[in-house]
């Protein structure tokens, strides 16, 4: 199962700064569990190459000027079970590229295994973490400029781990493989300039002063007959 959440955070720079640095975050979560009862010398695919894929919206240019974008992967594939009568081992392996809009930008290689005697427990996790920051100013220098074209474009695009997760069993075991995690896309941008707090207060004060002057000018002058009699 996959779920998408759009999270938006804003962080302003107060005081004399005319513009504000802000952030928006989109996240796609992954969750899948499968039970296996495997014999010796078996290798199989736990999740396919299309499982870790999320659809993301491009940057909204009306918010301001894009400064950078960050892609963060945080995945875990865990084994929880028991070895069979012959004992053995269980290996989980990831080996493939991370892509944005079908364009590979880095490679992930990770794997781990556990062995045990007959009837013993097998429980471990293979965490996979990757975070890459793309500066807009470095497009074409440190990364493929087509990545920037995708995030600054007009249509949605995908972020993917473009390879399967494989499991290899030696001997026999009964176990679950639990997959969980998320991929996030963060846009860091400079928002359009807004009035500074001090300037806004001065502007309001000016309006108040003008209003008071206009009220005084509209007030009729007192005639001599309207004045109260005083002591002579």
């Amino acid at each position: 199962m996959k779920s998408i959440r759009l999270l938006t955070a804003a962080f302003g720079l107060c005081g004399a700064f005319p513009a504000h640095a802000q952030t928006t975050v989109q996240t796609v979560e992954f969750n899948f569990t499968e039970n296996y009862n495997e014999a010796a010398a078996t290798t199989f695919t736990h999740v396919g190459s299309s499982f870790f894929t999320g659809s993301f919206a491009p940057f909204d240019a009306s918010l301001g000027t894009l400064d950078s974008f960050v892609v963060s992967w945080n995945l875990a594939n865990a084994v929880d079970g028991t070895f069979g009568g012959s004992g053995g081992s269980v290996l989980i392996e990831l080996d493939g590229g991370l892509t944005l809009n079908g364009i590979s930008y880095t490679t992930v290689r990770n794997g781990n295994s556990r062995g045990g005697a007959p009837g013993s427990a097998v429980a471990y996790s293979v965490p996979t973490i990757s975070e890459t920051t793309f500066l807009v100013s470095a497009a074409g220098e440190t990364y493929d400029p087509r990545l920037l074209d995708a995030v600054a474009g007009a249509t949605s695009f995908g972020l993917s781990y473009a390879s399967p997760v494989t499991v290899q069993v030696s001997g026999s075991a009964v176990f679950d493989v639990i997959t969980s995690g998320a991929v996030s896309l963060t846009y860091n941008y400079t928002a359009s300039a807004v009035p500074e707090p001090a300037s806004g207060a001065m502007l309001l004060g000016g309006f108040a002063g003008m209003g008071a002057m206009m009220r005084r000018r509209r007030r009729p002058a007192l005639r001599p007959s309207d004045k109260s009699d005083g002591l002579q």
Side-chain angles (χ1 to χ4, degrees), residues 116-162:
S120 63
V122 52
Y124 69 98
S125 179
V126 181
T128 301
I129 298 173
S130 174
E131 181 172 290
T132 307
T133 298
F134 302 89
L135 298 176
V136 169
S137 60
E141 299 178 4
T142 61
Y143 65 91
D144 191 324
R146 292 178 297 169
L147 302 180
L148 178 58
D149 292 340
V151 303
T155 59
S156 61
F157 54 89
L159 286 171
S160 299
Y161 166 67

Side-chain angles (χ1 to χ4, degrees), residues 77 79 83 88-93 110-116 122-126 167-170:
N77 291 278
V79 173
F83 288 111
S89 65
V90 178
L91 165 68
I92 295 180
E93 192 167 30
N110 197 9
N112 208 339
S113 66
R114 290 289 188 278
V122 52
Y124 69 98
S125 179
V126 181
V167 179
Q168 180 178 327
V169 180
S170 176

Side-chain angles (χ1 to χ4, degrees), residues 3-5 25-30 51-56 70-75 98-99 105 130 158-161 180-186:
S3 61
I4 183 167
R5 298 182 299 163
V25 183
Q26 301 172 67
T27 299
V28 173
E29 298 178 339
F30 307 96
F51 179 78
F52 295 110
T53 299
S55 181
F56 291 81
V70 183
V71 181
S72 303
W73 289 87
N74 192 336
L75 307 174
L98 299 177
T99 70
Y105 64 87
S130 174
L159 286 171
S160 299
Y161 166 67
S180 62
V183 56
S184 296
L185 174 63
T186 301

